Amino acid sequence: MKSLKAIISNKQNFALDTNIELPPLAENEALIKVMASPINPVDWLPLFIGMGGIMGMEGAGIVEKVHDEKHQNLIGKWVAFMTWGAWSQYANVKVDSLLEFNDDIDFEDISYALVNPFTVCGMVDISQTDKASAIIVDAAAS
């Protein structure tokens, strides 16, 4: 097992824990060294529902290890991923959920490549359902 630092929820608040044990890789999983992980409203869900564990659900990083020989080609790749536990130094992620990127793109940009597009689709769908005549987007920190 790998020991790491992570932001955890203890069901009431969150804190940095410097001695988390990452479980061994399961079948079809890759070990990702997390380089960036954004903050989205859904990241706070564990606190609202009283769920413990490592927080964060989206990030970007480098594939360091894979469980299965057939996925060896992923080692060293820059990827975006979605999984609970993204606010940590490392994350075990299903390989079929990884989105590969070239290594000339900033990890910060890669890190919000999955949730933000779904948010936009939801906004457009709601605006069409409500027959809105315009959508105003404030990019905030994006």
Side-chain angles (χ1 to χ4, degrees):
M1 283 202 191
K2 191 175 206 53
S3 185
L4 55 98
K5 294 178 187 176
I7 305 293
I8 62 158
S9 163
N10 66 5
K11 301 181 183 181
Q12 296 174 348
N13 56 32
F14 64 95
L16 175 65
D17 189 330
T18 59
N19 196 24
I20 298 286
E21 293 292 326
L22 190 65
L25 287 173
E27 187 175 342
N28 291 317
E29 282 188 338
L31 176 66
I32 310 300
K33 180 176 183 180
V34 180
M35 304 302 289
S37 184
I39 298 174
N40 293 298
V42 72
D43 293 320
W44 302 103
L45 185 64
L47 290 177
F48 296 134
I49 65 172
M51 182 175 94
I54 301 174
M55 296 181 63
M57 72 161 296
E58 175 182 38
I62 302 170
V63 178
E64 284 203 348
K65 185 178 177 183
V66 293
H67 181 274
D68 305 295
E69 186 71 30
K70 64 184 174 185
H71 300 298
Q72 290 294 317
N73 63 317
L74 292 172
I75 294 176
K77 299 285 185 176
W78 290 27
V79 295
F81 65 88
M82 282 179 49
T83 191
W84 284 111
W87 290 0
S88 64
Q89 291 176 300
Y90 291 88
N92 291 347
V93 182
K94 293 287 186 189
V95 295
D96 60 359
S97 69
L98 299 175
L99 182 60
E100 290 182 43
F101 283 84
N102 293 332
D103 62 5
D104 60 350
I105 301 173
D106 291 335
F107 282 112
E108 285 184 16
D109 293 336
I110 296 171
S111 73
Y112 50 78
L114 298 172
V115 171
N116 283 0
F118 289 118
T119 302
V120 170
C121 290
M123 286 174 37
V124 170
D125 185 55
I126 290 169
S127 69
Q128 290 173 338
T129 301
D130 292 349
K131 298 185 183 348
S133 59
I135 301 173
I136 297 174
V137 177
D138 175 2
S142 294

